[in-house]
Amino acid sequence: MACCGDVPTLETLAAVSILREHLPELRIRVVNVVDLMRLQPHSEHPHGLPDNDFDELFTKGQAGNLRFPRLSMVDPPVDLSPHQPSQHHVRGYKEEGTITTPFDMTVLNDLDRFHLVMDAIDRLREPGTMGVYLKQQLKDKLIEHKQYIDKHGQDLPEIRNWKWTG
């Protein structure tokens, strides 16, 4: 799983902690991207990674790694398609939402830990009974989250107080 930025990094780490707790046999790599231009091929940008270095980080041939096929939030826009983006699943802000809680903004944009875990489970070759059960638990957790913020106007305590322990 790859992430860039403070909120996506926090949610990615929270997703990884959920996956490690419930699916401990699953091997997970987290790549925190600081320089988005590193995701470009070296032939396209001086900071870009050569293809073999990119493949080493993002495990060529494995599904579920994140890669921006086009970074339109930078000027000029960055095209990352030469690195086989079809292998990668991308999440980013969709400008969805309204005035709500910080975590709810991630939920509305499918960037939250629960959606990330469910996406990871969907990409497993064989999610098994535990994967299917975990996915249902997370759907229930999203309902609990919505009910809680509607009633209390703030995120669940377990979200507000979450800390990386890995």
Side-chain angles (χ1 to χ4, degrees):
M1 299 181 91
C3 47
C4 181
D6 58 343
V7 173
T9 298
L10 177 79
E11 290 304 309
T12 298
L13 291 174
V16 168
S17 71
I18 292 169
L19 287 165
R20 285 185 173 162
E21 178 184 345
H22 295 276
L23 302 172
E25 70 285 355
L26 185 64
R27 294 178 53 204
I28 306 167
R29 174 183 292 171
V30 175
V31 178
N32 187 294
V33 179
V34 177
D35 180 357
L36 287 175
M37 296 303 115
R38 297 290 287 163
L39 297 179
Q40 285 259 70
H42 186 67
S43 61
E44 300 294 321
H45 193 279
H47 297 177
L49 285 173
D51 287 345
N52 56 341
D53 290 348
F54 180 88
D55 291 342
E56 193 172 308
L57 276 176
F58 291 96
T59 318
K60 185 177 181 176
Q62 297 295 316
N65 295 309
L66 303 179
R67 177 74 167 210
F68 292 100
R70 185 155 180 84
L71 297 173
S72 57
M73 77 283 281
V74 296
D75 188 24
V78 177
D79 185 2
L80 298 173
S81 56
H83 285 301
Q84 302 172 335
S86 62
Q87 295 179 11
H88 308 287
H89 183 75
V90 178
R91 288 285 185 210
Y93 285 104
K94 299 182 283 190
E95 299 300 324
E96 289 289 329
T98 183
I99 297 172
T100 186
T101 68
F103 180 73
D104 195 45
M105 282 301 296
T106 66
V107 172
L108 292 170
N109 284 283
D110 298 333
L111 287 170
D112 63 282
R113 60 198 72 187
F114 305 134
H115 280 101
L116 294 175
V117 170
M118 289 187 289
D119 284 347
I121 291 168
D122 287 344
R123 284 163 179 73
L124 295 175
R125 287 186 195 110
E126 296 180 29
T129 308
M130 288 303 297
V132 173
Y133 177 71
L134 176 58
K135 191 171 173 182
Q136 185 57 54
Q137 283 183 303
L138 298 176
K139 288 177 182 179
D140 295 344
K141 190 54 107 171
L142 285 167
I143 293 168
E144 177 187 349
H145 152 75
K146 180 65 174 147
Q147 292 170 342
Y148 189 90
I149 65 167
D150 286 349
K151 182 176 181 180
H152 300 283
Q154 63 180 344
D155 292 320
L156 288 160
E158 67 195 71
I159 301 295
R160 290 192 321 262
N161 302 323
W162 184 85
K163 301 264 190 266
W164 173 254
T165 58

